[in-house]
Amino acid sequence: MASSRTSSTATKTKTPDDLVAPVVKKPHIYYGSLEEKERERLAKGESGILGKEGLKAGIEAGNINITSGEVFEIEEHISERQAEVLAEFERRKRARQINVSTDDSEVKACLRALGEPITLFGEGPAERRERLRNILSVVGTDALKKTKKDDEKSKKSKEEVEHQTWYHEGPNSLKVARLWIANYSLPRAMKRLEEARLHKEIPETTRTSQMQELHKSLRSLNNFCSQIGDDRPISYCHFSPNSKMLATACWSGLCKLWSVPDCNLLHTLRGHNTNVGAIVFHPKSTVSLDQKDVNLASCAADGSVKLWSLDSDEPVADIEGHTVRVARVMWHPSGRFLGTTCYDRSWRLWDLEAQEEILHQEGHSMGVYDIAFHQDGSLAGTGGLDAFGRVWDLRTGRCIMFLEGHLKEIYGINFSPNGYHIATGSGDNTCKVWDLRQRRCVYTIPAHQNLVTGVKFEPIHGNFLLTGAYDNTAKIWTHPGWSPLKTLAGHEGKVMGLDISSDGQLIATCSYDRTFKLWMAE
């Protein structure tokens, strides 16, 4: 019993020893060089055959690769990649420095100028702006400047072509007319200059006293006659050369002749079917012209131009050729030619002796509204809805002066009898006085509180200027000096037309209130 206990105890004591893992033998690592052994091997002569055989075996097994002399430069390849990365960094740096407009329309315009699509599918303004910045960082901002310069150059070249003065061959009748006008105007110019010299010889004190008397009489102007002319607004009025008749044009289509100064109706001229723009007497009508001849001309909004005699209520003839509104008609001082202004941006000159249109003159960018002829007959002035006026030499056909300065449409133009002053009235409420000798505007009269419809110089010496406007008044201004003398107030509506009699004694105004008024000094 004792022995069994002892053995069991012994067995129990061996159990932990059996659980210990066996020790693994580690290989020996030798530090140092194999140079000595290699020397020994080479000394014995083992490298010759064995080395070559081993090299061949390695090549055949594919473990040793022998090249044909091609070399792969690792450093160059790395340097190319570095250059690309650096270039990308530089591009991004440039992109951050480029200022791109936040206006989307400008961004699109820049993209279009660079030949890029202005928008991509699903692209918003921010993405489009970023795309433009990236493109500019590649091509440079100079590319956009170049394209802008090219566009400006092309625009300038187009504008030069558009604004270029061009000529075309006119008919022989125009050449004959120009020569005739030259022969007609030169003696009149000489006569005018001779009268100016004589007037200058008058003592200054005498001239000053005469001017003071004139100003005194103008300040005493009063309305002595007012007449209802029609049931529609009266658009124009014009005195006969002998100052004994007044012609009025109405929006009803009727033209009427009234006796002066008692304002009795003499004739009603029926022929127009729409608003009549103007009616004017022939320069020799009621003086030396027969009543059966053409004494008046009128125009209307439908483009019709009609000629009238004094012994018939129906038109003598129609001038055909206009297709749009004719705003004004005016006789040349000789009475041979008739000028018409049209909304087709042109004005025309008609030879009534030859019964044909001899000149169709363009030059305004919008409709031409008013026309006036120089007292000598050598020049014509036109005012357009483009806010510009032009002075034309009828003897050569050239535009000799460009009237630039008004801010709105020019509705009235008139030459002074002195031969060198021109007045224009405009929708900018002002009246400008231009000097033909200096070829510039010499004075701007802040004339009215609404658009100026008409301007007229005193027809004998041009000693005063008359203006009418949509502020229901007409005003008289001194010449020279351009100071206000008298305001003719009395109309209840817009003043649409005005005129001064050939003797300078009477002033007529017509209005939107359907009346015309005569003004005379007391």
Side-chain angles (χ1 to χ4, degrees):
M1 293 294 287
S3 60
S4 61
R5 278 198 293 270
T6 309
S7 61
S8 62
T9 310
T11 313
K12 286 177 185 176
T13 53
K14 286 178 183 176
T15 306
D17 297 330
D18 295 337
L19 295 173
V20 176
V23 178
V24 180
K25 291 183 178 181
K26 295 181 181 179
H28 292 283
I29 299 172
Y30 298 95
Y31 294 96
S33 174
L34 297 174
E35 188 177 359
E36 294 297 329
K37 288 187 177 182
E38 191 68 20
R39 282 177 182 171
E40 290 175 7
R41 189 173 65 78
L42 291 170
K44 291 176 183 179
E46 294 178 358
S47 66
I49 299 165
L50 289 172
K52 289 178 182 177
E53 288 177 357
L55 187 63
K56 286 179 182 178
I59 290 169
E60 288 173 0
N63 296 325
I64 298 173
N65 295 321
I66 305 298
T67 64
S68 60
E70 295 179 0
V71 179
F72 183 72
E73 295 290 344
I74 296 175
E75 289 184 2
E76 287 185 10
H77 183 64
I78 291 170
S79 64
E80 285 177 10
R81 290 196 62 190
Q82 285 176 345
E84 288 177 4
V85 171
L86 283 171
E88 179 65 19
F89 275 118
E90 286 294 325
R91 188 193 66 76
R92 291 183 182 180
K93 185 180 177 182
R94 285 197 304 272
R96 285 194 297 273
Q97 292 173 349
I98 294 171
N99 294 321
V100 180
S101 174
T102 54
D103 186 359
D104 194 41
S105 60
E106 284 187 26
V107 172
K108 288 180 178 179
C110 292
L111 287 167
R112 183 180 286 111
L114 292 167
E116 297 288 334
I118 61 170
T119 185
L120 299 176
F121 182 75
E123 185 181 56
E127 292 90 349
R128 191 177 300 114
R129 188 164 170 260
E130 192 62 32
R131 180 160 63 90
L132 175 61
R133 180 182 277 113
N134 291 333
I135 292 167
L136 289 175
S137 68
V138 175
V139 300
T141 53
D142 293 336
L144 193 60
K145 290 177 183 176
K146 285 179 182 177
T147 53
K148 284 182 178 178
K149 284 181 181 176
D150 293 339
D151 290 342
E152 286 176 3
K153 284 181 181 177
S154 61
K155 282 181 181 177
K156 282 182 181 177
S157 60
K158 285 180 182 176
E159 285 176 0
E160 284 175 4
V161 171
E162 287 176 1
H163 295 294
Q164 184 177 330
T165 303
W166 53 274
Y167 302 94
H168 62 88
E169 190 174 349
N172 188 57
S173 57
L174 177 58
K175 182 181 176 182
V176 172
R178 292 200 191 284
L179 289 169
W180 191 93
I181 289 171
N183 292 327
Y184 173 82
S185 63
L186 288 171
R188 288 173 66 91
M190 290 173 66
K191 183 182 176 183
R192 174 174 55 81
L193 291 171
E194 186 60 34
E195 288 175 356
R197 291 188 192 100
L198 293 172
H199 183 70
K200 195 173 182 181
E201 290 175 1
I202 299 172
E204 191 174 348
T205 53
T206 308
R207 281 184 287 167
T208 305
S209 62
Q210 288 176 353
M211 193 64 72
Q212 287 174 348
E213 287 178 9
L214 175 65
H215 291 175
K216 186 179 179 181
S217 66
L218 288 172
R219 288 191 183 96
S220 66
L221 275 172
N222 279 318
N223 174 24
F224 78 93
C225 176
S226 181
Q227 179 68 272
I228 296 174
D230 201 81
D231 54 3
R232 295 292 308 278
I234 301 175
S235 57
Y236 200 84
C237 60
H238 192 247
F239 279 107
S240 64
N242 67 356
S243 305
K244 292 183 179 179
M245 274 197 288
L246 181 74
T248 58
C250 312
W251 277 13
S252 63
L254 299 176
C255 298
K256 297 182 179 181
L257 301 180
W258 307 82
S259 62
V260 173
D262 50 5
C263 296
N264 292 323
L265 181 63
L266 299 175
H267 294 285
T268 301
L269 308 179
R270 306 173 189 275
H272 290 291
N273 299 318
T274 182
N275 301 3
V276 183
I279 182 167
V280 287
F281 277 97
H282 188 284
K284 296 174 184 176
S285 174
T286 69
V287 178
S288 61
L289 204 63
D290 191 78
Q291 288 193 350
K292 294 180 180 178
D293 292 332
V294 174
N295 281 259
L296 297 113
S298 64
C299 63
D302 58 0
S304 61
V305 178
K306 297 183 183 293
L307 305 176
W308 310 83
S309 65
L310 289 176
D311 65 346
S312 174
D313 293 346
E314 294 182 356
V316 176
D318 287 357
I319 294 178
E320 297 176 353
H322 294 287
T323 55
V324 293
R325 177 179 173 181
V326 179
R328 291 284 186 268
V329 291
M330 186 59 65
W331 289 97
H332 186 266
S334 66
R336 175 177 172 176
F337 304 101
L338 182 71
T340 58
T341 60
C342 189
Y343 269 42
D344 64 358
R345 298 184 275 186
S346 71
W347 65 275
R348 308 186 191 193
L349 196 64
W350 307 82
D351 187 341
L352 297 187
E353 284 188 10
Q355 297 183 359
E356 64 174 331
E357 175 192 301
I358 57 169
L359 179 63
H360 184 166
Q361 182 66 61
E362 296 178 337
H364 289 271
S365 60
M366 294 180 71
V368 187
Y369 195 85
D370 199 15
I371 184 171
F373 288 102
H374 192 278
Q375 189 181 26
D376 300 343
S378 55
L379 306 176
T382 54
L385 302 179
D386 54 2
F388 299 121
R390 287 180 180 268
V391 181
W392 309 85
D393 190 337
L394 297 175
R395 300 162 296 186
T396 62
R398 292 178 181 272
C399 175
I400 61 167
M401 187 173 172
F402 187 60
L403 311 180
E404 182 181 11
H406 281 295
L407 304 177
K408 289 187 178 180
E409 306 88 354
I410 294 177
Y411 291 114
I413 186 168
N414 193 242
F415 284 92
S416 170
N418 66 17
Y420 54 85
H421 276 146
I422 307 170
T424 54
S426 168
D428 60 9
N429 308 350
T430 66
C431 172
K432 287 184 181 288
V433 182
W434 312 78
D435 195 319
L436 275 170
R437 302 166 300 180
Q438 302 176 42
R439 297 196 179 191
R440 67 181 183 89
C441 175
V442 291
Y443 199 82
T444 300
I445 306 172
H448 292 272
Q449 296 176 0
N450 210 327
L451 66 86
V452 180
T453 53
V455 291
K456 183 84 174 179
F457 280 101
E458 187 263 318
I460 302 171
H461 301 294
N463 289 327
F464 64 87
L465 177 67
L466 177 67
T467 61
Y470 270 20
D471 59 2
N472 303 357
T473 65
K475 293 183 180 181
I476 298 170
W477 310 85
T478 61
H479 176 206
W482 318 114
S483 58
L485 270 179
K486 177 75 174 177
T487 299
L488 308 179
H491 283 290
E492 296 176 1
K494 299 172 278 195
V495 174
M496 301 181 71
L498 48 84
D499 195 22
I500 304 171
S501 63
S502 57
D503 57 9
Q505 298 299 311
L506 288 168
I507 291 174
T509 56
C510 60
S511 170
Y512 197 81
D513 62 9
R514 299 171 295 130
T515 68
F516 68 89
K517 297 182 187 294
L518 296 181
W519 309 78
M520 183 187 287
E522 290 180 352

